[in-house]
Amino acid sequence: MHEDILAESGNKKMGNSDENPSPWLERCFNRKCYITFLTGCYSCHWQYREWETAELGSCCCSWKEQFSYLCLIIAFVLSAIFLFVWAETSNEYNGFDWVVYLGTKRWFFWSIIMLSTAGILTAYTSLLLLIGAFLLWERIELYLHPCHKVLVLLVIALCSFLLSILNQYWRDKWLIAGLSLKVFAPFLHMSLITVMIIMSWPLAICVAHLESEVRIRRYKMEGYEHEVPESCNIFTRLRALQIAAGLPFLLILLCLYLMPLGIYSPCIMKKENLGPKPKFFGHRGAPMLAPENTMMSFEKAVEHGASGLETDVYLSWDEVPFLMHDYDLSRTTNIREVQPSSAYNHTANFNWTFLSTLNAGKWFIKHKPFFGMQPLSEADERRASSQTIPSLAELLELAKNEKKFVIFDLFGPPPNHPLRKNFVRRVVRVILDSKIEQRLIFWLPGYDRKYVRFMAPDFQHVGRLRTLEELASENMTIINVDYKRLFYSGLRHYKAAKIHINVYTVNEPWLFSLAWCYRINSVTTDNIQVLNQLSHPLFFMTPGNYTFIWFFMVSASAIIIGFVFCYHWIKELKKERWLEEATTAPAGLLNLETIREGTTMETEVPPQKPDVPPTKKGLKETKNTKGKS
């Protein structure tokens, strides 16, 4: 009778008519679309059907589908790790593209292809994971389509392969991820707390609904537990679900609240402790503004405030030092057009008379070797397209006039070269003949240092990452090291010994900010036009500001999460009270207003306690009857 009254009152209340579609029909239609979308994306079942829902507290999929969902979680984790690591190594993208070019002899932004692939894999697995979670929420059986299963396994295999390659051949890139965490950890901490606030809403709904279900079931079974003890197992499962959902959330939230106690970020310091802005060495000039290792590139570096110029030196067959980075001329010159048969010969096997005629700028206009480069003006484009290979003497003339430091890698000639054994002495002679101030030369090559010290006593000798004792024994006060070495306490012991530290190659603003906070003296960069515009380190905070933000985030998140849980808890309690009122009231006193009020919260009125204790089979039949009605 209650069901008939409910149906009649529901029809009156919702106003079912052909002219005015009812909100109930609209909600039902939207739910059909929602379920169809979920099952279509996950299982490729795009036609709606009445899916059987599993009993609350029981598993709603087979062990095979559980294993598939576990594989999906693994695929998501691996793809997310690979995406994070590759995104944080953006400072190395140009170097990666160059390495791939050496193997393929084709210049392309392979690094961006890798980044896009990682993003697509992460988006694909995260979407499937989210859809599977929604299906579990609706207690609909999981059935991952075989195509998805194959793709998930391929994602696991591909990400595992790429991560193993990184670990085997590019292991120091893991240090870049560690460096990024030194800068981003405080902001990542705040972001994670925000994510926990968002996640608290569906979690609160789940926990409150489980609690309401437990109380309703207990109320229905009052007085009959001794006759149906096997039904009480559902209570254990429901409580276990509550603990499985709520306890990890609380533990993670507690860890996030205490995380600042274990965070060390060099960019959290007092303003008075911040060191001066690092000086710049233009890496092969300004290679984002002009072709690398050309006079235009070095002049652009000077225009943008470089304190020094970095380059690479080879010696031609006729004993002229010139500027070139690669072992052959194929990437940065037009030798494949001029002399294709010699395109991949060693750079030092050519005479200067031939080298000086090659074009060293058209490749730059064609390939634009750095991703996201700003377009050149027409004048700069014309100038760049006419650049040639410069000699070391030309660079020294520019440095002498502009009072800029010069640091360079000196590559030894190949066997049978006329200067195989005396190339250092030839380079020293060219430097001395240029009349540049000796103090402007940062001498990096380690060959024949005794001769260099004797002939040019005022050269500033630069060491690699060596012990302080070794540096002191050779009277070196400058070191040139890879920026990834900042991972190890920021080279603190070198700074304590007042060693001038230059790190290479720093292109990303966040990485330059980290070097600044570490009080690094100078950096070698490709991106001087951007880094020179920074007036203060990015992500810089004083300890007081960070402490205030920490306590504010903790307090605000605790209040919001507590409110969310209380709101949904009270909402479920109201449903429970209505159930008690509906089941205890006599049938004749159950007026229409009470029924209407109940239908706003639940679509059906639970039946009154039966006079006869129900059996297990009877409970199931009652449940099925309720579902059909």
Side-chain angles (χ1 to χ4, degrees), residues 185-346:
F187 302 90
L188 180 63
H189 168 237
M190 301 172 196
S191 301
L192 289 176
I193 291 181
T194 304
V195 170
M196 296 299 285
I197 293 174
I198 297 173
M199 290 179 59
S200 67
W201 190 272
L203 180 65
I205 295 175
C206 177
V207 173
H209 180 65
L210 290 172
E211 179 65 23
S212 175
E213 188 73 18
V214 169
R215 295 190 179 189
I216 290 173
R217 287 175 180 267
R218 286 193 183 279
Y219 182 80
K220 289 180 179 180
M221 296 180 62
E222 281 184 8
Y224 307 112
E225 293 87 342
H226 61 283
E227 300 189 26
V228 283
E230 64 276 8
S231 300
C232 296
N233 292 332
I234 186 64
F235 299 138
T236 304
R237 293 200 297 269
L238 293 176
R239 291 299 187 192
L241 278 176
Q242 282 184 300
I243 295 174
L247 186 59
F249 178 85
L250 292 177
L251 292 177
I252 294 173
L253 189 63
L254 181 61
C255 291
L256 288 177
Y257 285 167
L258 300 178
M259 184 183 290
L261 298 177
I263 287 179
Y264 167 71
S265 175
C267 288
I268 297 178
M269 66 170 69
K270 297 180 179 179
K271 291 183 178 179
E272 54 269 23
N273 294 334
L274 180 65
K277 186 177 181 178
K279 304 296 183 182
F280 296 106
F281 277 82
H283 186 233
R284 308 173 201 169
M288 291 187 179
L289 303 175
E292 67 179 55
N293 278 329
T294 62
M295 292 309 298
M296 178 183 176
S297 182
F298 293 113
E299 289 167 3
K300 287 289 185 181
V302 172
E303 289 176 14
H304 286 84
S307 299
L309 306 173
E310 188 274 346
T311 187
D312 311 278
V313 177
Y314 282 95
L315 285 95
S316 66
W317 192 267
D318 51 353
E319 304 182 1
V320 177
F322 65 96
L323 311 184
M324 179 61 59
H325 175 265
D326 295 2
Y327 294 112
D328 60 58
L329 304 170
S330 62
R331 181 175 68 93
T332 59
T333 72
N334 63 336
I335 192 171
R336 281 189 281 189
E337 301 173 5
V338 176
Q339 201 174 100
S341 60
S342 304
Y344 302 112
N345 290 354
H346 195 283

Side-chain angles (χ1 to χ4, degrees), residues 449-497:
R449 281 192 185 270
K450 290 183 179 180
Y451 172 82
V452 177
R453 289 182 185 276
F454 175 76
M455 294 298 297
D458 291 333
F459 281 5
Q460 300 194 62
H461 287 259
V462 181
R464 305 287 185 175
L465 196 65
R466 304 169 68 183
T467 64
L468 293 175
E469 292 75 14
E470 291 174 334
L471 294 174
S473 65
E474 297 188 24
N475 195 25
M476 292 183 183
T477 58
I478 305 172
I479 59 172
N480 186 50
V481 297
D482 190 339
Y483 72 90
K484 290 179 282 293
R485 298 295 179 177
L486 290 174
F487 187 80
Y488 303 104
S489 303
L491 306 172
R492 190 178 304 160
H493 55 294
Y494 289 100
K495 291 181 292 185

Side-chain angles (χ1 to χ4, degrees), residues 173-188:
K173 299 304 175 282
W174 294 104
L175 299 179
I176 303 175
L179 285 175
S180 68
L181 289 177
K182 286 179 177 287
V183 175
F184 299 125
F187 302 90
L188 180 63

Side-chain angles (χ1 to χ4, degrees), residues 505-575:
T505 305
V506 175
N507 294 333
E508 293 296 320
W510 71 264
L511 192 54
F512 177 72
S513 300
L514 182 65
W516 191 345
C517 294
Y518 267 134
R519 303 177 69 91
I520 298 301
N521 303 97
S522 59
V523 300
T524 300
T525 180
D526 298 313
N527 200 15
I528 188 173
Q529 71 279 1
V530 171
L531 301 187
N532 195 37
Q533 296 177 359
L534 296 179
S535 57
H536 59 83
L538 301 179
F539 313 108
F540 178 82
M541 282 191 299
T542 62
N545 288 342
Y546 182 53
T547 302
F548 171 77
I549 294 174
W550 172 26
F551 281 108
F552 174 78
M553 289 294 293
V554 168
S555 304
S557 63
I559 293 173
I560 294 173
I561 292 174
F563 171 79
V564 168
F565 273 86
C566 289
Y567 170 77
H568 288 289
W569 199 272
I570 293 173
K571 185 177 179 181
E572 292 294 337
L573 286 179
K574 287 182 178 179
K575 292 182 182 180

